[in-house]
Amino acid sequence: MTRDNDQLICDGKTLRGSAAQPDGADGATRFVTQVTLYARELGVAIAQTSFDTGESHERAALKALLSTLELEGVLIQADALHTSPAFFSSPPSRAPTCS
């Protein structure tokens, strides 16, 4: 994934029928969620992972997926959930942010 203008699209979805009864002090219902990275140019999913919402969250799952890829020159599109606080530890790019 090193060509200019490559785009990866992130999407997280709760898996239907995966709700578990609350077992924590907060009383929150737990779900299994899947995070998928789609390569826009190829039109296919290139990576995915699942997690239990009682043990992790979508931001951590996406960071883990992205850490396995070479991202030089790649535009990553994700929900607003991933914009604050800073997602990456490196300084922001000076390149344009829209295509």
Side-chain angles (χ1 to χ4, degrees):
M1 297 240 126
T2 58
R3 296 185 315 255
D4 288 341
N5 299 319
D6 279 347
Q7 294 182 36
L8 293 179
I9 302 165
C10 164
D11 193 25
K13 297 291 183 201
T14 299
L15 301 180
R16 185 177 187 153
S18 68
Q21 293 297 324
D23 62 356
D26 63 359
T29 301
R30 296 168 48 173
F31 297 91
V32 174
T33 299
Q34 180 173 297
V35 176
T36 305
L37 285 175
Y38 299 93
R40 182 173 181 217
E41 189 171 303
L42 299 174
V44 298
I46 61 165
Q48 65 184 29
T49 189
S50 297
F51 63 92
D52 181 319
T53 59
E55 299 171 5
S56 189
H57 51 84
E58 187 173 323
R59 288 174 53 93
L62 178 58
K63 282 178 118 174
L65 282 177
L66 293 175
S67 72
T68 65
L69 302 172
E70 172 59 46
L71 299 174
E72 185 71 29
V74 176
L75 173 66
I76 300 166
Q77 297 179 11
D79 297 348
L81 164 72
H82 302 285
T83 62
S84 183
F87 188 78
F88 292 104
S89 58
S90 61
S93 169
R94 298 273 185 218
T97 58
C98 62
S99 57

